[in-house]
Amino acid sequence: MKDLNLLFKEKNLKLTPQRYAIYKYLKSTKNHPSAESIYEELKEDYPTMSLATVYKTLKTLIELNLVQELNVGEDNFRFDANVDSHPHIFCLSCGRVDDVEGVNFTFLNKEIENYTDYSVDTHQLYFYGLCPKCKERGRK
Amino acid sequence: MKDLNLLFKEKNLKLTPQRYAIYKYLKSTKNHPSAESIYEELKEDYPTMSLATVYKTLKTLIELNLVQELNVGEDNFRFDANVDSHPHIFCLSCGRVDDVEGVNFTFLNKEIENYTDYSVDTHQLYFYGLCPKCKERGRK
DNA sequence: ATGAGTGCAAAGGATTTGCATCGAC
DNA sequence: GTCGATGCAAATCCTTTGCACTCAT
């Protein structure tokens, strides 16, 4: 994460402790947390940080293409510091969100241009089902 | 739409003029409107209808599996009376949402089970790009 | 007639904004 | 020291809820 500093400098942005902490946390987790969750998580180490700062920072990180925004159909957004194109899967029972690893559907962007008059840049692919724990629980 | 009546009757629900109008409008449009848009559209013919009724009706229609909810990454939801699984495409410039017709990715639900420990029921696939009009405008 | 549905207004939750203060450069 | 960033509170937007009244059955 040495180059973070450079990237921020280039854009005349300041790499504040808050911004660094939020990015570092997002890089470290696979939970796809909401803004609120990030706030709760960092509250302990950064007790003065406000929720507004979390939102503002996330907006900044998205503009820098360091973070992507997800919307699985909940009433809020979730955030992912893995900006490579990859599908997500949502547990209809417990609300957990995971990455689907080992697949790449980037080719779909070109493919789909045969079926529409749009030009296509990106896509989001969300699967819905039951996570291992909830499958198990349902089987009882 | 004769069977609507039956379907509602089975569930002990009333097919009120408001509910009928909202469903009929959704069936008739390809615009994937938001609740607000539906409300605005029907205001002329149903001047006493409230936005709360639109929301409540949409919830009911979703439970009946007559309508599906979309979230393209905007701050609100959109609604589609085509409940067959099909991708949507969002214009990054004007915000228009269209169906992608002629493709079916239902097979992905099974496929993806090889890459995750979840069981998979459904998916949503959203493409992002430029609609024909916005492509044209950008070319000037 | 009766219980579900409507419409209104108020509440709720997520996110944004304005502004005085703070702190990274 | 400067200007962008923070933190707080208020504001905004979307959606839901409570409740008295209405109306489809």
Side-chain angles (χ1 to χ4, degrees):
Chain A
M1 291 197 210
K2 201 65 195 171
D3 26 355
L4 257 197
N5 233 310
L6 285 167
L7 181 57
F8 274 75
K9 207 162 281 178
E10 276 174 18
K11 309 273 177 174
N12 275 321
L13 297 171
K14 289 174 185 169
L15 186 47
T16 61
Q18 293 88 335
R19 285 175 170 178
Y20 184 70
I22 290 168
Y23 182 62
K24 199 177 62 173
Y25 172 57
L26 274 175
K27 266 295 189 192
S28 77
T29 183
K30 297 228 164 202
N31 287 344
H32 308 86
S34 64
E36 183 75 36
S37 305
I38 296 168
Y39 173 65
E40 291 300 331
E41 181 67 29
L42 297 179
K43 204 183 234 174
E44 202 183 317
D45 287 342
Y46 298 83
T48 71
M49 185 164 59
S50 77
L51 185 53
T53 297
V54 175
Y55 277 107
K56 287 170 184 167
T57 295
L58 288 168
K59 206 172 195 175
T60 304
L61 293 173
I62 289 166
E63 277 162 12
L64 292 172
N65 197 38
L66 292 170
V67 163
Q68 69 169 316
E69 206 174 42
L70 306 180
N71 196 309
V72 176
E74 297 166 305
D75 45 3
N76 55 39
F77 287 89
R78 287 167 175 262
F79 300 89
D80 189 345
N82 175 1
V83 291
D84 297 330
S85 178
H86 62 284
H88 293 91
I89 187 157
F90 177 78
C91 177
L92 294 166
S93 174
C94 69
R96 174 178 172 163
V97 174
D98 279 296
D99 295 315
V100 179
E101 303 188 68
V103 281
N104 190 320
F105 290 113
T106 307
F107 71 92
L108 280 184
N109 297 338
K110 275 180 198 119
E111 277 293 296
I112 218 68
E113 291 191 337
N114 299 320
Y115 297 90
T116 170
D117 293 328
Y118 283 62
S119 63
V120 181
D121 289 338
T122 60
H123 72 261
Q124 285 286 2
L125 177 51
Y126 300 112
F127 290 95
Y128 299 86
L130 291 179
C131 75
K133 279 181 191 164
C134 290
K135 268 194 295 188
E136 191 58 39
R137 198 175 303 136
R139 215 181 282 140
K140 280 180 207 162
Chain B
M1 291 195 208
K2 200 64 193 172
D3 26 353
L4 257 198
N5 233 311
L6 285 167
L7 180 57
F8 274 74
K9 207 162 282 178
E10 277 173 16
K11 309 271 179 177
N12 275 323
L13 296 171
K14 291 176 185 168
L15 184 48
T16 62
Q18 293 89 333
R19 286 173 169 180
Y20 184 70
I22 290 168
Y23 183 62
K24 200 177 62 172
Y25 172 57
L26 274 175
K27 266 294 189 191
S28 76
T29 182
K30 297 229 163 199
N31 287 344
H32 308 86
S34 64
E36 183 76 35
S37 305
I38 296 169
Y39 173 65
E40 290 300 330
E41 181 67 29
L42 296 180
K43 204 182 233 174
E44 202 183 316
D45 287 343
Y46 298 82
T48 71
M49 186 165 60
S50 78
L51 184 53
T53 296
V54 175
Y55 277 107
K56 287 170 184 168
T57 295
L58 287 168
K59 207 172 194 174
T60 303
L61 293 173
I62 288 166
E63 277 162 11
L64 292 172
N65 197 38
L66 291 170
V67 163
Q68 67 169 316
E69 206 174 43
L70 306 180
N71 196 311
V72 176
E74 297 167 305
D75 45 4
N76 55 39
F77 288 89
R78 289 168 174 262
F79 300 89
D80 190 345
N82 176 0
V83 291
D84 298 329
S85 179
H86 62 282
H88 292 92
I89 187 158
F90 177 76
C91 178
L92 294 166
S93 173
C94 70
R96 176 177 171 163
V97 174
D98 279 295
D99 296 314
V100 179
E101 301 188 69
V103 282
N104 189 318
F105 290 113
T106 307
F107 71 92
L108 280 183
N109 296 338
K110 275 182 200 118
E111 277 293 298
I112 219 70
E113 293 191 335
N114 300 321
Y115 298 90
T116 172
D117 294 328
Y118 283 62
S119 63
V120 181
D121 289 338
T122 60
H123 72 260
Q124 285 287 0
L125 177 50
Y126 300 112
F127 290 96
Y128 298 87
L130 292 178
C131 73
K133 279 180 191 165
C134 291
K135 270 196 293 190
E136 190 60 37
R137 198 177 303 135
R139 215 180 279 138
K140 278 179 207 164

